[in-house]
Amino acid sequence: MPERSLAVVVLAAGQGTRMKSSTPKVLHRLAGLPLIQHVLETAGALQPEHLVAVVRHERDLVVTSIVETTPGAVIVDQDDVPGTGRAVEQAVEALPADFEGDVVVVSADVPFLDHTTLGALLEQHREEAAAATLLSAVLPDAHGYGRVVRRSSGDVDRIVEHKDATEEERQLREINSGTYAFTVAALRTHLPRVGSANAQNEKYVTDVVGLLTAAGERVSARAVDETWRLEGINDRVQLAAAARRLNDRIVEHWQREGVSIVDPQTTWIDRDVALSPDVELLPGTQLKGATYVAAGAVVGPDTTLVDTEVGEGAVVKRTDATLAVIGARASVGPFSYLRPGTVLGEGGKIGTFVETKNAEIGAGSKVPHLSYIGDTEVGTDSNIGAGTITANYDGVHKHRTEVGSNVRTGSHNVFVAPVRIGDGAYSGAGTVVRKDVPAGALALSIAPQRNASGWVEANRPGSAAAEAAARAERTTD
């Protein structure tokens, strides 16, 4: 394949009204990534000298997303002239004047288009010395798509949009995908000649094809067998269908890498998740963002992990965790809520109905039941009693609680931060700890119990409790 300079143009200016969303269409997420990021990564895999993104609707939001992942992209703002033809025209104007290579044009809402398919398009374009080459597909039902009209030689004669097509042309089943390779010379010559005399009153880039063939230049088309790769996302129905398709592929990939996934239909895995062999995922599991699960860990059922690290052999069930680290052979859940900054050490435990936030819980330490542990550091091999609360907020500032190693705290404790419980200390049930507890000490909140004899009969006469008490007294007498 002759080597020439390459530029890729990503069209991302559309409003996407069928999404009916305040979020720009190209920023809706698929497997954890914005649609446009899938396309930018594919474009980048071609290693172009220039990558140009054309934006307009909600341009600041879209540009922010682009520069976060593709800082070298050239941003072009489409003006008030509508249509893909004008978008490509402005993109070409942004290229260096001495650029003489090929231009690949892709849409930001076609996430399944891969670099292999684009590479084959570019290879055919160069081998056939075409002025333009387009990706096409043959569909059983081509309604709504632009049709590819071929000459008897097999080359492309023109592309006609569905709304502008004759009844005979609408019978054609080969459709234009909206993905192209052009020589930059063809675009510079013919884009300024494209008008907007059509049903949409837009400048179509497809009209360049007709101008090229009229000028005697060759236009080629490459039909794609995997037609789903050319599917665009225009509404939430298509987004959901694309999400299911991509998730099925991701799940299958991890199964073939040695991960046991009990119910693929209820297991969702983002594209950037990493899993090790012999991980087991139970039904209802969602792994999002940059989550990593090490070998032998069991996650689920009914668990959502976002940007969370799970250590080797850990068990995480019915848990919601975000930006947390779960150590090797640790146990979490059921019904645990791990908020950002939670770090659970090796062999540790965060148990039933426990919420943690910005908490480091050391190796072998346990928070088994019904507790809130926030802004806290717990040493190793300590046990936090059921119903414990770290009172970390004084109404103005957050404060930290420190619990040493080999500590045993009683049930229903409240640690009023800032406070430290020393190594080896104990606390009694119901204790409110307001002062530091020295190592090896027992902390107690002493309030002598007082029993008011006869209170129920005097204050609740005739009640079932009073009658029960009277019977008990008679039995005792």
Side-chain angles (χ1 to χ4, degrees):
M1 179 176 65
E3 290 295 332
R4 291 203 296 267
S5 299
L6 176 65
V8 178
V9 174
V10 179
L11 303 180
Q15 187 173 355
T17 55
R18 281 181 280 175
M19 279 290 187
K20 297 183 179 179
S21 175
S22 59
T23 300
K25 176 175 72 170
V26 299
L27 297 188
H28 279 263
R29 290 183 172 267
L30 183 66
L33 302 177
L35 292 176
I36 193 171
Q37 187 170 333
H38 291 270
V39 177
L40 289 170
E41 289 186 1
T42 298
L46 295 178
Q47 299 182 329
E49 292 183 24
H50 307 282
L51 198 161
V52 182
V54 184
V55 300
R56 179 175 171 84
H57 179 66
E58 295 287 356
R59 64 91 60 195
D60 290 345
L61 291 175
V62 176
V63 169
T64 297
S65 179
I66 293 171
V67 299
E68 283 179 353
T69 59
T70 316
V74 175
I75 305 299
V76 171
D77 290 283
Q78 185 168 356
D79 58 22
D80 292 334
V81 179
T84 55
R86 180 55 178 161
V88 175
E89 185 177 21
Q90 289 187 271
V92 171
E93 291 170 355
L95 294 173
D98 60 354
F99 178 79
E100 297 296 335
D102 296 307
V103 179
V104 169
V105 178
V106 296
S107 298
D109 61 356
V110 184
F112 292 133
L113 189 61
D114 64 330
H115 74 278
T116 301
T117 302
L118 279 184
L121 169 73
L122 190 59
E123 182 176 9
Q124 177 173 320
H125 172 71
R126 290 174 173 175
E127 286 184 346
E128 296 185 357
T133 306
L134 59 94
L135 278 180
S136 68
V138 177
L139 302 180
D141 181 4
H143 181 80
Y145 291 95
R147 305 306 203 279
V148 177
V149 181
R150 290 183 181 260
R151 296 175 170 179
S152 58
S153 65
D155 285 346
V156 175
D157 181 62
R158 67 189 186 278
I159 299 169
V160 58
E161 297 298 325
H162 180 85
K163 292 183 179 180
D164 302 314
T166 65
E167 285 303 317
E168 182 180 0
E169 289 167 339
R170 289 184 181 184
Q171 300 307 309
L172 299 172
R173 294 192 298 118
E174 185 176 14
I175 61 96
N176 171 41
S177 72
T179 299
Y180 314 90
F182 295 97
T183 63
V184 73
L187 293 175
R188 285 175 175 153
T189 300
H190 295 287
L191 274 173
R193 302 176 184 174
V194 173
S196 57
N198 52 61
Q200 297 291 87
N201 294 315
E202 295 183 4
K203 290 188 67 167
Y204 293 140
V205 71
T206 51
D207 288 348
V208 172
V209 171
L211 293 173
L212 287 170
T213 56
E217 298 194 63
R218 185 175 189 181
V219 178
S220 178
R222 182 179 184 85
V224 175
D225 293 330
E226 295 178 313
T227 58
W228 58 269
R229 289 198 176 276
L230 307 182
E231 293 175 359
I233 308 299
N234 295 300
D235 58 32
R236 296 180 194 251
V237 174
Q238 292 174 337
L239 181 64
R244 168 54 64 190
R245 179 188 293 277
L246 182 53
N247 191 70
D248 288 347
R249 294 174 65 83
I250 292 172
V251 166
E252 180 180 339
H253 163 76
W254 287 117
Q255 288 175 313
R256 296 189 185 283
E257 292 295 316
V259 175
S260 293
I261 300 176
V262 174
D263 185 6
Q265 290 299 304
T266 63
T267 302
W268 289 83
I269 305 172
D270 276 358
R271 205 201 62 179
D272 285 348
V273 168
L275 305 174
S276 298
D278 292 322
V279 164
E280 183 176 5
L281 303 181
L282 301 182
T285 294
Q286 299 182 68
L287 304 181
K288 296 178 173 293
T291 292
Y292 166 70
V293 184
V298 179
V299 179
D302 307 321
T303 293
T304 300
L305 305 182
V306 182
D307 297 324
T308 292
E309 179 181 330
V310 179
E312 186 173 339
V315 176
V316 185
K317 63 178 67 173
R318 290 191 168 88
T319 290
D320 189 307
T322 299
L323 287 169
V325 177
I326 299 166
R329 291 170 292 283
S331 171
V332 179
F335 310 113
S336 299
Y337 181 27
L338 278 56
R339 292 166 59 190
T342 295
V343 179
L344 177 61
E346 180 177 350
K349 179 177 182 178
I350 295 175
T352 310
F353 297 110
V354 173
E355 177 181 348
T356 60
K357 186 270 294 183
N358 195 21
E360 298 182 22
I361 299 168
S365 288
K366 300 176 182 179
V367 187
H369 322 284
L370 302 162
S371 297
Y372 169 70
I373 305 298
D375 297 301
T376 299
E377 181 179 345
V378 179
T380 60
D381 298 310
S382 290
N383 188 85
I384 306 300
T388 294
I389 295 172
T390 55
N392 55 333
Y393 185 49
D394 64 8
V396 179
H397 302 292
K398 295 288 183 73
H399 302 279
R400 291 192 66 78
T401 296
E402 296 182 27
V403 178
S405 297
N406 297 103
V407 171
R408 299 290 183 270
T409 69
S411 299
H412 198 57
N413 279 195
V414 178
F415 302 143
V416 182
V419 70
R420 172 173 172 76
I421 293 88
D423 291 349
Y426 276 58
S427 63
T431 298
V432 178
V433 179
R434 301 179 183 274
K435 300 184 297 182
D436 288 355
V437 179
L442 171 65
L444 297 171
S445 293
I446 300 175
Q449 181 175 324
R450 183 173 65 89
N451 298 332
S453 299
W455 186 92
V456 172
E457 293 175 284
N459 292 275
R460 302 289 187 272
S463 68
E467 292 173 0
R471 286 194 300 271
E473 291 174 355
R474 288 193 296 272
T475 301
T476 304
D477 293 342

